[in-house]
Amino acid sequence: SVRDKLVFTRNLALMIRAGINIDDALVILAEQSTSSRMRRVLTRVEEEVATGKSLSESISQFPAVFDDLFIKIIFAAEQAGTLSESLEQLATHIKRQYDLRSKIMSAMFYPLLVVISSLVISIALSIFVLPKITSLFRSFDQELPFTTRMIINFSKFMSEQTGLGIAIFAAAGILGYILIKSKTLRPFWEYTLFRMPSIGKIVRDFNLALFARTMATLIVSGVPMTQAVAITTETMRNTRYRRALTKIAE
């Protein structure tokens, strides 16, 4: 997890600064880790380092735990002899990214809650309330507006086929989630989010902050500009920013 990697990075920086060699530091951190997965990974990394491999080469065998940004910064730090300083920069970067994502999730929670609550209330009204007043609408001696007829028909369907209606909504939600995760349709969803008045600003600010902080961390750690842009491109999940950075790198 992010927390496990943050603890590892901070503690490794402190141990190296204190004069403890990397082999011993990895052994200690593996023993102290509360995550069984992280403990196994650090044990393997220590075994690789003990055979004479560099730290960056050793952690590169675990891309699921240590991303390209982490590996490239460690490699640059090993070449420059600034490993403890770069680890501290990495720890700060990881912490800021974690805090930023938490703030974004908190900001998105309220709009999402409003949407879900509105949907639940609409379904409840269509099942329990609208059927009781449908007869009143039908008693009118004039043709009802199209929207009113649609609401009445929807209410009738939900009251008579409640289970099927809920199943359709659930299936639509699952299908929507799959479509959002689809790489083919991802640019469309990202464009839609960008166009939304409030959510669009949050998405833009998040991606700009991610770009700026990642570039700053890489440059301070001694990574060349061209490599820094390439690595930052890989860390960006938004396809619009990835395309823009790819053009810049070219």
Side-chain angles (χ1 to χ4, degrees), residues 17-178:
R17 184 177 289 276
I20 302 174
N21 62 56
I22 295 179
D23 293 48
D24 293 338
L26 290 172
V27 171
I28 295 170
L29 291 174
E31 292 175 350
Q32 293 181 344
S33 177
T34 57
S35 169
S36 58
R37 181 192 181 196
M38 196 67 174
R39 193 181 306 117
R40 289 194 300 270
V41 169
L42 293 181
T43 301
R44 291 283 305 279
V45 170
E46 189 278 327
E47 291 172 354
E48 294 295 324
V49 171
T51 62
K53 294 182 179 179
S54 65
L55 179 60
S56 59
E57 187 179 1
S58 301
I59 63 176
S60 65
Q61 300 181 34
F62 304 94
V65 179
F66 304 104
D67 55 21
D68 196 44
L69 170 67
F70 198 101
I71 296 167
K72 289 294 194 302
I73 288 179
I74 296 300
F75 176 78
E78 289 172 334
Q79 302 302 311
T82 58
L83 188 55
S84 62
E85 292 83 354
S86 294
L87 283 168
E88 289 174 356
Q89 288 287 337
L90 261 174
T92 302
H93 174 75
I94 294 170
K95 179 65 166 60
R96 287 176 176 173
Q97 292 302 105
Y98 178 78
D99 291 341
L100 180 61
R101 290 182 186 278
S102 298
K103 290 178 181 178
I104 295 297
M105 292 302 294
S106 299
M108 297 287 286
F109 175 76
Y110 179 71
L112 183 62
L113 180 63
V114 170
V115 172
I116 294 175
S117 299
S118 301
L119 182 61
V120 172
I121 292 172
S122 299
I123 294 174
L125 287 173
S126 65
I127 296 174
F128 301 108
V129 178
L130 288 179
K132 296 180 180 180
I133 61 175
T134 299
S135 58
L136 175 63
F137 286 111
R138 288 176 177 172
S139 65
F140 296 156
D141 294 331
Q142 57 183 359
E143 185 179 1
L144 297 173
F146 174 75
T147 54
T148 304
R149 295 200 306 271
M150 289 292 295
I151 292 173
I152 291 174
N153 291 333
F154 175 73
S155 173
K156 181 180 179 182
F157 172 77
M158 290 300 297
S159 60
E160 294 178 355
Q161 303 289 338
T162 305
L164 178 60
I166 294 175
I168 291 174
F169 274 101
I174 295 172
L175 179 61
Y177 178 80
I178 293 173

Side-chain angles (χ1 to χ4, degrees), residues 159-200:
S159 60
E160 294 178 355
Q161 303 289 338
T162 305
L164 178 60
I166 294 175
I168 291 174
F169 274 101
I174 295 172
L175 179 61
Y177 178 80
I178 293 173
L179 291 176
I180 289 174
K181 291 295 183 180
S182 170
K183 292 183 178 180
T184 305
L185 294 176
R186 186 164 189 170
F188 169 76
W189 295 116
E190 290 174 347
Y191 175 79
T192 303
L193 288 175
F194 265 94
R195 301 295 295 178
M196 292 183 178
S198 56
I199 297 178

